[in-house]
């Protein structure tokens, strides 16, 4: 049965009320814990387990606000944001996390809601649970351009208090290292072939120039 105009209006009203209930504690935390007086807070993209908002302050700067589901582990959320801030020291291109007003933590809580704030990066691309296809190439290019100091990040992360112990999850075990190694070797062979082709073309060009001289 097609909903009537009144039913559709009631549904939209309920959705607006739910959104307002979700936004209100976000506004309180931004003002009370981060010192940000938002002039506008709008829903952003939904993550794998988190909800996101875009908050525009009175300075017209946008911040990316991440809220965690009810019952989320506050220490785990704090550790994740802190690791990102730690990576920036090397420097790894990670958006800057904003500390609370007291600068003693990155994650604030109110009424069971956990919230963190990072600087908004326009046109950012997220992995949506996993990295596939062209995203792997983008990651490789970014890592390849990192300065030498960033190479110390892995050693530093291994000593960091919030490091994760090395382990293989179900998805990691299903990656198929043999297939990935074969693809890597195939890519390397193509690169070597391209280098050889350029060398042969250069030799042919030299021969042609000598013949025309």
């Amino acid at each position: 049965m097609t909903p009537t105009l009144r039913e559709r209006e009631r549904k939209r009203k309920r959705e607006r009320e739910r959104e307002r209930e979700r936004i209100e504690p976000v506004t309180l935390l931004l003002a009370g814990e981060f010192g940000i007086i938002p002039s506008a807070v709008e829903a952003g993209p939904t993550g794998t387990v988190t909800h996101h908002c875009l908050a525009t302050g009175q300075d017209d700067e946008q911040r990316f606000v991440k809220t965690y589901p009810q019952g989320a582990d506050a220490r785990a959320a704090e550790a994740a944001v802190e690791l990102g801030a730690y990576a920036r020291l090397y420097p790894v291109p990670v958006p800057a996390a904003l500390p609370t007003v007291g600068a003693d933590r990155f994650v604030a809580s109110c009424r069971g809601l956990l919230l963190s704030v990072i600087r908004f990066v326009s046109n950012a691309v997220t992995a949506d649970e996993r990295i596939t296809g062209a995203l792997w190439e983008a990651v490789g290019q970014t890592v390849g351009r990192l300065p030498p100091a960033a190479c110390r990040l892995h050693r530093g992360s291994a000593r960091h208090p919030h490091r994760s112990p090395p382990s293989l999850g179900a998805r990691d075990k299903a990656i198929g290292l043999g297939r990935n190694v074969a693809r890597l070797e195939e890519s390397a062979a193509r690169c070597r072939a391209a280098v050889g082709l350029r060398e042969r073309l250069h030799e042919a060009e030299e021969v042609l120039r000598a013949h025309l001289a």
Side-chain angles (χ1 to χ4, degrees):
M1 180 181 296
T2 303
T4 64
L5 179 61
R6 181 175 296 179
E7 289 172 337
R8 290 197 298 269
E9 182 58 33
R10 282 200 296 264
K11 181 180 179 180
R12 285 194 291 267
K13 183 179 179 180
R14 288 194 299 268
E15 291 174 349
R16 288 194 298 268
E17 290 175 350
R18 283 196 297 266
E19 184 65 19
R20 186 166 57 250
E21 290 173 357
R22 191 170 70 87
I23 293 298
E24 282 180 354
V26 170
T27 303
L28 290 174
L29 278 174
L30 287 174
E33 296 288 347
F34 293 92
I36 299 171
I37 309 299
S39 58
V41 178
E42 55 187 274
T46 299
T48 53
V49 295
T50 55
H51 290 281
H52 306 140
C53 299
L54 291 179
T56 303
Q58 293 182 336
D59 55 0
D60 292 331
E61 183 178 350
Q62 283 190 310
R63 279 89 171 181
F64 190 80
V65 181
K66 177 180 291 189
T67 60
Y68 301 80
Q70 290 287 337
D73 187 337
R75 288 179 297 182
E78 180 73 29
V81 181
E82 185 177 323
L83 274 176
Y86 179 72
R88 282 181 57 84
L89 299 177
Y90 280 89
V92 175
V94 179
L98 276 64
T100 55
V101 173
D104 57 344
R105 64 189 190 281
F106 289 106
V107 177
S109 61
C110 175
R111 304 176 191 171
L113 174 71
L114 300 177
L115 179 149
S116 63
V117 182
I118 63 175
R119 298 204 177 278
F120 176 67
V121 178
S122 60
N123 300 320
V125 178
T126 60
D128 294 330
E129 289 191 314
R130 63 188 307 171
I131 300 175
T132 58
L135 279 179
W136 271 121
E137 297 180 13
V139 170
Q141 291 171 1
T142 300
V143 172
R145 288 194 297 265
L146 291 178
C151 297
R152 297 195 299 271
L153 175 63
H154 295 291
R155 294 195 296 273
S157 297
R159 296 189 296 269
H160 195 276
H162 295 313
R163 71 189 186 279
S164 298
S167 61
L168 288 178
R171 193 176 70 190
D172 299 319
K173 295 177 182 178
I175 285 177
L177 294 178
R179 184 174 67 253
N180 287 353
V181 170
R183 292 170 61 185
L184 177 60
E185 291 176 345
E186 181 184 347
S187 298
R190 288 200 302 269
C191 291
R192 288 193 295 268
V195 171
L197 177 60
R198 283 198 297 270
E199 292 176 349
R200 291 195 297 274
L201 288 173
H202 179 70
E203 292 173 358
E205 183 181 2
E206 293 297 324
V207 171
L208 180 60
R209 285 181 177 176
H211 179 72
L212 295 176

